Amino acid sequence: MIEMGYVLKHRKPYYVHFYWFKRRLSKDQKQILKTKFRFYNKLTDKNKRYFEHRVASFIIDKDFIGRGGLVVNDEIKVLLAATAVMLTFGFRDFYIGLISKIVVYPTKFYSKSNNAYHKGEFNPKLKALVLSWEDFVKGFDIDNDNLNLGIHEFTHAIHINSIKERDISSTIFSDSFKELSELLSKDENLRNTITSSKYFRKYAYTNQFEFLAVAIENFIETPYDFKSEFPQVYAKIKQMLNFNYAGY
């Protein structure tokens, strides 16, 4: 009850990082983070240790499955886990309980859900996140085009997980999303400005889930542009993720 009062006042958990012991990555795994994951390099030394612990823990918690001849190696595990950990770095519970397995194909894959080829999808019934490795890598190769498959699909999983779970971070995420939805619903001028600006790609207007996934892609990749153009929306996304790291 004390923490809930704090949350209601400050819109963030009383604490995020507290560990009895911290898991370590291997030397090679840590090198992957250093050379291929820009967000990690923006963190303080203290937060880097927290980040490494969470990546190692996430890897242990999930089943990584290769399909179409793809062999899942350390690079795949580390970069997928790091993407999830980045998005939930402001959460106390970072595991995204609705994901139990991550299935990785070399390229686009055929999905029976709608009999079409996909780059990525999240299936909450199977607790499976499915991705094309080729397209996942492209998302990070260009880090300012607001197109990032990993961020997009993990956001869907986090969003649905926040509806199901009632931990502090899930509550903040879902409540903040409701506040953002109300803001956009009530402020016609803001809605018109957003749709006419072309800052968000057209796919964002498919539905509320897709808008959020696209918005968080933009938030991560072009935060200064986002904050400059739509400060109210940026603030809600930052509150939703409790994102007070790396200059965001």
Side-chain angles (χ1 to χ4, degrees), residues 1-14:
M1 290 179 66
I2 293 173
E3 182 171 34
M4 188 55 69
Y6 182 89
V7 169
L8 290 172
K9 182 177 180 180
H10 299 283
R11 291 294 194 271
K12 62 181 181 179
Y14 184 68

Side-chain angles (χ1 to χ4, degrees), residues 45-246:
D45 288 343
K46 181 179 180 180
N47 282 329
K48 282 180 180 177
R49 290 192 293 272
Y50 292 154
F51 196 88
E52 292 164 22
H53 162 75
R54 288 191 168 197
V55 169
S57 299
F58 194 90
I59 289 172
I60 292 170
D61 188 65
K62 310 304 178 188
D63 292 325
F64 293 83
I65 303 167
R67 289 282 189 265
L70 183 76
V71 177
V72 175
N73 56 23
D74 267 352
E75 180 180 350
I76 292 173
K77 290 181 181 180
V78 168
L79 294 182
L80 287 170
T83 303
V85 168
M86 173 179 65
L87 294 173
T88 59
F89 202 52
F91 294 15
R92 187 183 305 164
D93 182 354
F94 60 92
Y95 283 106
I96 317 176
L98 268 186
I99 297 176
S100 66
K101 52 184 172 287
I102 300 175
V103 182
V104 190
Y105 285 83
T107 57
K108 294 178 185 177
F109 55 91
Y110 186 77
S111 174
K112 293 180 180 179
S113 63
N114 64 349
N115 296 318
Y117 282 91
H118 289 192
K119 296 178 182 179
E121 66 179 27
F122 173 59
N123 189 322
K125 290 184 179 179
L126 298 178
K127 301 183 78 171
L129 188 76
V130 190
L131 295 164
S132 153
W133 180 245
E134 178 183 68
D135 293 288
F136 174 87
V137 171
K138 285 179 181 177
F140 284 99
D141 282 346
I142 304 173
D143 64 355
N144 62 354
D145 62 352
N146 297 324
L147 286 168
N148 190 300
L149 176 67
I151 291 172
H152 191 97
E153 297 303 332
F154 272 114
T155 295
H156 283 319
I158 292 166
H159 190 177
I160 296 171
N161 192 72
S162 75
I163 296 170
K164 177 180 177 293
E165 302 292 341
R166 299 318 304 163
D167 61 277
I168 288 293
S169 295
S170 292
T171 298
I172 292 170
F173 187 96
S174 57
D175 287 353
S176 298
F177 177 70
K178 290 175 184 175
E179 292 172 9
L180 174 60
S181 298
E182 289 175 4
L183 171 67
L184 294 173
S185 175
K186 293 177 181 179
D187 194 330
E188 184 177 357
N189 288 332
L190 177 60
R191 287 200 313 275
N192 291 338
T193 303
I194 288 173
T195 53
S196 63
S197 73
K198 297 182 180 179
Y199 175 63
F200 301 108
R201 66 181 188 273
K202 289 182 179 180
Y203 193 61
Y205 309 114
T206 306
N207 54 51
Q208 288 185 322
F209 282 85
E210 296 301 345
F211 179 80
L212 180 61
V214 170
I216 290 181
E217 285 178 89
N218 289 44
F219 177 88
I220 295 294
E221 294 215 335
T222 57
Y224 301 112
D225 293 342
F226 198 157
K227 189 175 183 180
S228 175
E229 291 201 41
F230 305 108
Q232 290 174 288
V233 180
Y234 177 91
K236 287 299 178 188
I237 298 292
K238 183 173 180 176
Q239 174 183 303
M240 195 179 300
L241 297 175
N242 188 33
F243 221 73
N244 296 302
Y245 307 96

